[in-house]
Amino acid sequence: MLETIHIESGSSDQEYQEAWSRLKNVLKSTGRIYLNPLPKQEAFSPVEADERALGIREIHNWCSLIEEFVAQGLDTAKTKNLFRYYFDRLGLYVDPSFTELIRDGDVVEIYSMDFKRLFFNPELFDYSSYAPDEMFSAPFWKLYHRDEAITLKIQELVHLFISGEKKAPFVPDIPRHLVTEIKSEKQYSCEVDIKVLAPVYLGRALVGAAAIEKLKLVLS
């Protein structure tokens, strides 16, 4: 498994700065410069402390995997290869047809069963103005606004994984739609086309859902 970074609840500003600095260096290895400013410690309320600690830990886990991948001379822009590596490295299983449907330039996200991100390819940073700890620590409905009917449809489809009715990747009946950041300073909006959904397993246990998406930034 990837390294485990122990972060206490109510993590310090120094711990956050260390995670932020590591992320910026990792993103350089993917050809990106992360420009979002480091939020000040006082910007986070006490009730968010546990979520923030989770976010910092997941930044380190994300960075570890990208560092390993790049250290082998592999290109993170080859999204299909990156996700094969992710699943193999963590011992997770998704139907092989899911990975074959990934195209370079797609945004691919893995969510836990509580709808928090587990992993995504670096391209997502091209469409997000969130601090990275927020991208990992909160369920998607706390981070983004979309039509309520579409949110409910996504949740219904994930419950088909839980019930066992859907065990293979499929094209969801979800129209292209607008998604807007709720809590970020810049509040980016994107058109999102969810191309494929698939359940993710660890052994026989359902642990998450994977999505292949095509995103288009909408400038105001």
Side-chain angles (χ1 to χ4, degrees):
M1 298 294 287
L2 296 176
E3 66 175 303
T4 299
I5 305 293
H6 182 67
I7 305 292
E8 297 289 347
S9 296
S11 53
S12 71
D13 192 49
Q14 179 180 348
E15 289 170 331
Y16 193 35
Q17 290 188 29
E18 288 172 353
W20 194 277
S21 177
R22 184 182 185 189
L23 175 77
K24 291 178 73 172
N25 288 332
V26 168
L27 285 176
K28 285 181 183 178
S29 72
T30 75
R32 287 173 173 79
I33 300 175
Y34 191 64
L35 297 176
N36 287 346
L38 177 68
K40 296 180 180 179
Q41 176 77 10
E42 54 267 26
F44 291 81
S45 68
V47 296
E48 294 173 319
D50 287 346
E51 283 192 354
R52 193 180 194 213
L54 169 64
I56 292 172
R57 183 170 66 248
E58 293 305 322
I59 291 172
H60 283 295
N61 289 337
W62 189 89
C63 288
S64 293
L65 190 135
I66 298 296
E67 286 169 343
E68 288 181 8
F69 190 78
V70 172
Q72 297 180 53
L74 302 172
D75 183 359
T76 59
K78 301 298 182 182
T79 307
K80 187 181 298 185
N81 294 341
L82 176 61
F83 273 84
R84 282 200 187 102
Y85 185 83
Y86 170 80
F87 287 116
D88 290 346
R89 182 71 176 82
L90 273 73
L92 300 174
Y93 175 82
V94 67
D95 190 288
S97 63
F98 175 85
T99 312
E100 290 303 318
L101 293 169
I102 296 172
R103 299 292 178 263
D104 294 344
D106 286 341
V107 169
V108 186
E109 301 183 80
I110 312 297
Y111 280 86
S112 65
M113 297 312 297
D114 57 359
F115 298 99
K116 294 179 181 179
R117 283 190 182 100
L118 296 174
F119 192 71
F120 53 85
N121 55 322
E123 277 79 358
L124 182 59
F125 282 106
D126 298 340
Y127 303 96
S128 176
S129 67
Y130 271 119
D133 60 310
E134 294 173 306
M135 294 169 73
F136 281 112
S137 63
F140 71 78
W141 61 79
K142 285 188 176 182
L143 298 176
Y144 303 99
H145 176 267
R146 50 164 46 97
D147 185 276
E148 184 177 357
I150 291 178
T151 296
L152 291 174
K153 181 66 174 178
I154 293 171
Q155 293 173 335
E156 289 172 4
L157 293 175
V158 171
H159 281 293
L160 295 179
F161 298 158
I162 297 172
S163 69
E165 187 173 339
K166 292 283 189 182
K167 295 183 178 180
F170 68 99
V171 177
D173 183 21
I174 298 175
R176 183 181 295 110
H177 58 280
L178 190 68
V179 173
T180 302
E181 296 173 349
I182 297 172
K183 298 170 62 178
S184 66
E185 181 179 348
K186 297 179 182 178
Q187 295 189 332
Y188 279 5
S189 292
C190 284
E191 286 185 355
V192 177
D193 182 10
I194 303 177
K195 298 165 60 178
V196 183
L197 289 174
V200 177
Y201 297 93
L202 179 60
R204 294 185 177 182
L206 178 69
V207 295
I212 303 173
E213 303 162 340
K214 183 65 69 176
L215 271 57
K216 180 181 179 183
L217 200 60
V218 177
L219 301 177
S220 58

